[in-house]
Amino acid sequence: MAYPALAIVNRWCNGEGESQQRVRIVDSSNVIVVETQDSPVKLLDSRATVTSVSLLRNIPVPKPGRYWVEVLLDGDLKTRYALMALQVGPDGRPIGSPPA
């Protein structure tokens, strides 16, 4: 199964210079499921901000569970947060959830 598209939006600030951002999704075993190419982040001075949008398409989701979105800058992990993949039934509710 594949998820059609996911946009990851990051806002960079409080820095200066040129860097490369990479976004990836890893599974609970830390295996990379999908990864972007490097994209430039350029902060002209310490007051500058940059908004970076990474669009991931056709993300393979082999099974329900917890995945992680990781954001790297120049190869260093800057943030990591959970992304839950749920299997839903025909009624749109997660399978295994109690009735409403």
Side-chain angles (χ1 to χ4, degrees):
M1 169 170 39
Y3 193 78
L6 178 67
I8 306 293
V9 181
N10 294 299
R11 182 81 167 191
W12 297 100
C13 59
N14 297 325
E16 191 172 339
E18 296 183 33
S19 299
Q20 295 292 319
Q21 172 189 279
R22 182 176 291 235
V23 175
R24 62 187 178 203
I25 296 177
V26 299
D27 67 14
S28 58
S29 301
N30 285 326
V31 173
I32 297 172
V33 174
V34 66
E35 183 173 36
T36 66
Q37 298 292 321
D38 285 342
S39 60
V41 174
K42 185 175 183 179
L43 293 166
L44 299 177
D45 59 48
S46 62
R47 296 170 297 169
T49 60
V50 173
T51 301
S52 179
V53 180
S54 300
L55 184 59
L56 304 167
R57 294 188 184 272
N58 299 317
I59 303 161
V61 183
K63 61 182 178 181
R66 184 180 312 249
Y67 292 79
W68 297 94
V69 175
E70 296 184 338
V71 181
L72 297 90
L73 198 62
D74 293 332
D76 294 326
L77 182 64
K78 294 299 178 183
T79 191
R80 183 179 202 240
Y81 52 91
L83 177 67
M84 293 300 296
L86 304 174
Q87 185 175 2
V88 296
D91 60 359
R93 292 176 1 117
I95 293 176
S97 66

